[in-house]
Amino acid sequence: MYRATTNGIEVSVEPYYLDDESEPENGHFVWAYMVEVHNGSDVPVQLRTRYWKIVDGLGRVEEVRGAGVVGEEPWIEPGDTFDYSSWCPLKTSSGIMQGSYGMEREDGSTFEAAIPAFSLDLPDEIRSLN
């Protein structure tokens, strides 16, 4: 599990390889990842935006920006956790992802909560990118 904490917001990510969805012979490798966003602060926050930087095993970079996550912009109360899963296809057998969530407090102030860098590696390979 990979973790990062910003202003009391802890983001934890656990990636796993989807063998059944991948086609290595065609250069198509798919990972899923579980994300938990825990509000350890003393005020409610809303997850408004997401930013992902995805780097494949050849160093090619893709950036993804958008509103919320999985079609939601959830409010997370102090002490609560919001979790979701998503997936990422790559053309190589390894890669790395990292990013941030744009968070907003009730008073309208905003900050970026770090998403920790995490490796996307085949199950039998050594994790070498992170």
Side-chain angles (χ1 to χ4, degrees):
M1 176 106 32
Y2 300 84
R3 288 183 168 79
T5 302
T6 309
N7 293 334
I9 305 303
E10 181 181 73
V11 178
S12 303
V13 182
E14 185 163 356
Y16 50 96
Y17 181 64
L18 296 178
D19 188 50
D20 292 346
E21 302 293 325
S22 299
E23 297 176 1
E25 64 280 1
N26 295 322
H28 183 72
F29 302 86
V30 181
W31 283 265
Y33 51 91
M34 297 290 301
V35 178
E36 290 184 355
V37 182
H38 176 75
N39 184 353
S41 76
D42 58 357
V43 297
V45 294
Q46 185 175 19
L47 193 162
R48 301 290 298 202
T49 62
R50 71 184 181 284
Y51 165 72
W52 287 104
K53 181 178 179 181
I54 305 161
V55 182
D56 73 11
L58 297 176
R60 294 176 291 205
V61 176
E62 179 182 357
E63 294 182 303
V64 178
R65 297 176 192 276
V69 290
V70 294
E72 298 184 52
E73 292 183 22
W75 277 97
I76 309 168
E77 295 294 325
D80 284 351
T81 300
F82 175 78
D83 60 340
Y84 73 96
S85 62
S86 192
W87 59 281
C88 176
L90 288 181
K91 294 180 182 178
T92 61
S93 64
S94 66
I96 192 166
M97 291 179 66
Q98 64 184 359
S100 62
Y101 295 125
M103 309 298 285
E104 185 174 348
R105 298 179 188 96
E106 286 182 311
D107 67 4
S109 63
T110 62
F111 64 96
E112 296 293 315
I115 301 170
F118 58 94
S119 294
L120 304 173
D121 295 304
L122 295 179
D124 296 332
E125 291 185 5
I126 296 171
R127 292 183 181 200
S128 58
L129 294 177
N130 188 20

